Amino acid sequence: MRRAALRLTLSSAFATLLAALLVTTRADSHSQPFSWIDLVAAPDSLRGEVTAHIVDLAHELGVADPEVLASGAGIRAHETELRTVFAKRLDLRGDGTRLAVAFGRMTPVPEKHAVRVSVALARPKASTLEVHGPLFTWEDTHETYVNLRVNGRLEVQDLLDQGHLEARWETGARRDPAQVVFRFIREGIHHIFIGPDHILFILGLLLLGGSLQQLARIVTAFTLAHSVTLALATLGWVQPSARVIEPLIALSIVVVGIENLRAEGGRRDLRAPLAFAFGFVHGFGFASVLRELSLPTDALGIALVSFNIGVELAQMSIVLTVAPLLARLRIWRPAAGPWVLRVGSLGVIAAGGFWLVQRLLAG
């Protein structure tokens, strides 16, 4: 009886130990979350393979047991969804434009607990090829190895993580200037319309109204100032920390709202000097975005001017839409003018104040 009890106890202990080892092995297999992008450049094509860990793929698919993807049968059962994941996560760009990739055969890689898929695409007529990563971002520690071979030689070897998001290869191809102009004008317009802080600053400058000459002077002052710092920061001559610039942008919104309330009673209008002063700050904010857009080293000047043109086009579209509406409102409903100014300015102050506190705490 004692021997039977002892055997039962030992069996239970062994089973517990085995289960713990299996769990530990499975966890350890992803303790270092890696993925691999291996490419070979030919004169007219790019071919290669992308390898991703089954834990990352299972997370993307919502599959509870990653081991399901460790076999050929499991891959075939989820092939459509896996191709969607790879298409979403693989970010290859030529001169900043995302490239369409064709995915081929998909196979398990048992020694890496991974799935590998072949990739192919036409080689872009671009001066720069960029690989953006890491491949997966749900884990802060994920890393993606990038290897690119050209004519049998390893041309690019890089490691992408949360602190390093791009691997680049200068192809030597000549860049189309018209393509650069179009792309960066579009990026400048896009940046203004996705940036509520910049839009609110411009709206704050318009609330007090004024003649066409007054508004032109204000907008010109803002443009001149932010053009200077945009160029300085983009060229790397002056690069203040975003921890300083972002709160200052929020502060500029608060100050403009306060200035509207101060100047309402007929006091001197200080919007033009304020727009000029804070324009330098906003220029640094624009530059931080521009530096993230894979600037072409062989067409840097064109890209910089084009981005600035895009910013100005977006700003002018706001001015030419809002200023006439405010002017018409003051003509049609004179009593509503002061109400719109006060409520609008208080709203500007409130939003700017919220961003200011939020950014100071985040910094």
Side-chain angles (χ1 to χ4, degrees):
M1 190 74 176
R2 288 180 181 177
R3 289 181 180 179
L6 179 61
R7 282 197 299 269
L8 181 60
T9 302
L10 290 174
S11 297
S12 300
F14 179 75
T16 302
L17 177 61
L18 181 60
L21 287 172
L22 288 173
V23 171
T24 303
T25 300
R26 181 167 295 186
D28 286 345
S29 70
H30 197 58
S31 60
Q32 293 295 328
F34 297 128
S35 54
W36 295 261
I37 300 173
D38 298 292
L39 300 172
V40 177
D44 59 351
S45 67
L46 281 170
R47 295 184 179 275
E49 297 172 331
V50 179
T51 306
H53 200 285
I54 58 174
V55 171
D56 291 313
L57 294 172
H59 178 270
E60 294 287 321
L61 294 179
V63 173
D65 183 8
E67 293 299 326
V68 169
L69 305 174
S71 66
I75 291 172
R76 287 190 293 275
H78 295 85
E79 185 169 352
T80 301
E81 299 97 315
L82 285 170
R83 290 183 182 278
T84 300
V85 170
F86 278 113
K88 176 184 176 183
R89 303 308 309 177
L90 181 61
D91 188 354
L92 303 180
R93 304 183 192 185
D95 289 343
T97 300
R98 189 157 183 172
L99 305 173
V101 180
F103 295 92
R105 188 183 177 200
M106 205 174 294
T107 56
V109 188
E111 67 275 14
K112 292 183 177 180
H113 301 276
V115 175
R116 179 175 292 154
V117 62
S118 62
V119 297
L121 64 154
R123 181 166 165 175
K125 295 179 180 179
S127 62
T128 303
L129 176 70
E130 304 115 31
V131 182
H132 290 250
L135 204 62
F136 299 97
T137 55
W138 69 282
E139 287 183 315
D140 292 339
T141 55
H142 188 90
E143 296 175 331
T144 299
Y145 288 96
V146 178
N147 297 295
L148 172 67
R149 288 177 171 80
V150 183
N151 298 324
R153 185 179 64 187
L154 187 61
E155 194 73 29
V156 175
Q157 188 171 45
D158 212 337
L159 180 64
L160 304 181
D161 57 23
Q162 295 296 331
H164 178 54
L165 303 177
E166 180 189 281
R168 302 182 66 183
W169 174 47
E170 300 293 337
T171 67
R174 186 174 180 181
R175 196 181 302 266
D176 182 2
Q179 196 175 46
V180 176
V181 169
F182 176 77
R183 180 197 166 200
F184 282 92
I185 287 178
R186 184 184 62 207
E187 293 288 358
I189 294 172
H190 177 71
H191 175 61
I192 288 296
F193 285 114
I194 64 168
D197 48 0
H198 297 302
I199 292 176
L200 201 59
F201 182 75
I202 296 167
L203 292 177
L205 292 172
L206 299 176
L207 282 173
L208 192 60
S211 66
L212 183 61
Q213 185 180 6
Q214 281 179 300
L215 295 179
R217 186 165 60 248
I218 293 167
V219 173
T220 300
F222 183 61
T223 298
L224 289 175
H226 77 61
S227 297
V228 171
T229 47
L230 173 61
L232 291 176
T234 302
L235 295 172
W237 294 348
V238 183
Q239 291 184 329
S241 170
R243 293 182 177 181
V244 175
I245 296 303
E246 291 302 319
L248 284 177
I249 289 175
L251 179 62
S252 72
I253 297 168
V254 175
V255 171
V256 165
I258 294 173
E259 167 59 19
N260 287 337
L261 298 177
R262 188 200 65 82
E264 181 187 8
R267 297 178 183 178
R268 184 187 173 194
D269 184 357
L270 298 177
R271 284 178 296 168
L274 285 176
F276 185 74
F278 284 115
F280 291 115
V281 176
H282 283 253
F284 286 123
F286 296 148
S288 67
V289 174
L290 186 56
R291 286 195 301 270
E292 296 174 358
L293 296 176
S294 302
L295 284 169
T297 54
D298 59 333
L300 185 58
I302 295 174
L304 179 59
V305 172
S306 300
F307 183 83
N308 207 31
I309 289 172
V311 168
E312 297 316 313
L313 289 174
Q315 289 179 171
M316 289 309 301
S317 70
I318 295 171
V319 172
L320 294 176
T321 300
V322 175
L325 289 176
L326 291 174
R328 291 281 182 131
L329 179 64
R330 290 186 175 93
I331 293 172
W332 291 341
R333 298 283 189 276
W339 183 84
V340 170
L341 173 62
R342 291 165 195 162
V343 173
S345 296
L346 289 173
V348 166
I349 293 169
F354 172 77
W355 285 327
L356 177 60
V357 173
Q358 183 185 56
R359 293 171 185 183
L360 286 173
L361 292 176

